[in-house]
């Protein structure tokens, strides 16, 4: 996680995960390995095959740009897990619909650094991060990480939908 700079329009001076928008080039970018069938199936609940691929590529690209950590070149997408989606309430002045993916440490290489978009980058335990002053969407996603970490692999693979965090509560959609 890292701190967004004071000049950011959205969530300035807040601790956030690396991420960003899917670029048009992400939709057709090459990869060393595709998304796992389970991750693709979950993403395809709200995205077509091309967008699901683009979401994986964007996650790998943003991770590398913002943190210096890499899933390879071309990226290996098979280690990505689809955790959840967060959608801001309709009344929010700045809207977003973000999908959150995670990857285990053995799938990542490189040195923590990045392009400077996120400051004070470092790894946090779930417990440590939950003790900080986090924006509500960040807190809800982190709580979901805790739930996910407490699941067995069989329980994770049995999931048929990723939760959507909307209006302050997780719902299955």
């Amino acid at each position: 996680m890292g701190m967004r700079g004071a000049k950011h329009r959205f969530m300035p001076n807040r601790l956030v995960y690396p991420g960003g928008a899917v670029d048009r080039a992400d939709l057709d970018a090459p990869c060393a390995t595709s998304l796992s069938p389970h991750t693709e199936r979950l993403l395809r609940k709200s995205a077509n095959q091309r967008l699901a691929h683009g979401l994986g590529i964007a996650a790998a690209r943003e991770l590398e740009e913002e943190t210096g950590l890499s899933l390879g070149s071309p990226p290996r997408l098979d280690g990505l897990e689809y955790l959840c989606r967060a959608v801001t309430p309709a009344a929010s002045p700045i809207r977003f619909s973000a999908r959150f993916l995670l990857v285990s440490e053995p799938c990542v290489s490189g040195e923590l650094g990045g392009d400077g978009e996120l400051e004070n980058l470092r790894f946090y335990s779930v417990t440590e991060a939950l003790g900080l002053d986090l924006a509500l969407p960040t807190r809800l996603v982190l709580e979901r990480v805790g739930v996910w970490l407490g699941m067995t692999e069989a329980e994770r693979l049995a999931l048929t939908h990723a939760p959507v965090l909307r209006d302050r509560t997780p719902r299955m959609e």
Side-chain angles (χ1 to χ4, degrees), residues 8 10 18 25 32 37 45 60 69 72 84 99 120 144 146 157 164:
H8 278 86
F10 181 66
K45 299 288 181 180
L69 302 175
C84 63
R99 290 168 180 91
N120 304 316
R144 180 64 193 162
L157 290 173
V164 177

Side-chain angles (χ1 to χ4, degrees), residues 21-144:
V22 174
D23 292 344
R24 184 175 299 272
D26 296 335
L27 300 172
D28 299 309
C31 59
T33 59
S34 298
L35 295 166
S36 72
H38 183 251
T39 297
E40 183 168 344
R41 189 169 40 257
L42 292 177
L43 285 169
R44 295 278 311 269
K45 299 288 181 180
S46 63
N48 63 32
Q49 184 175 11
R50 191 168 178 232
L51 179 55
H53 171 82
L55 289 162
I57 293 289
R61 178 180 51 74
E62 291 285 351
L63 176 70
E64 188 162 4
E65 288 173 4
E66 294 183 8
T67 71
L69 302 175
S70 175
L71 299 183
S73 182
R76 296 184 53 90
L77 303 182
D78 57 342
L80 289 171
E81 300 278 350
Y82 182 30
L83 181 69
C84 63
R85 186 174 184 181
V87 180
T88 52
S92 294
I94 298 177
R95 301 288 318 278
F96 72 81
S97 175
R99 290 168 180 91
F100 292 86
L101 295 105
L102 50 83
V103 64
S104 64
E105 183 181 358
C107 297
V108 179
S109 64
E111 295 293 323
L112 202 56
D115 61 7
E117 185 173 340
L118 297 179
E119 302 166 2
N120 304 316
L121 281 167
R122 73 182 201 69
F123 293 98
Y124 292 83
S125 71
V126 172
T127 303
E128 179 187 9
L130 285 173
L132 301 173
D133 179 26
L134 300 173
L136 183 61
T138 305
R139 179 170 299 283
L140 291 173
V141 171
L142 191 56
E143 288 171 354
R144 180 64 193 162

Side-chain angles (χ1 to χ4, degrees), residues 146-160:
V147 169
W148 187 87
L149 288 171
M151 299 171 79
T152 66
E153 184 177 354
E155 290 171 326
R156 292 175 192 152
L157 290 173
L159 293 172
T160 59

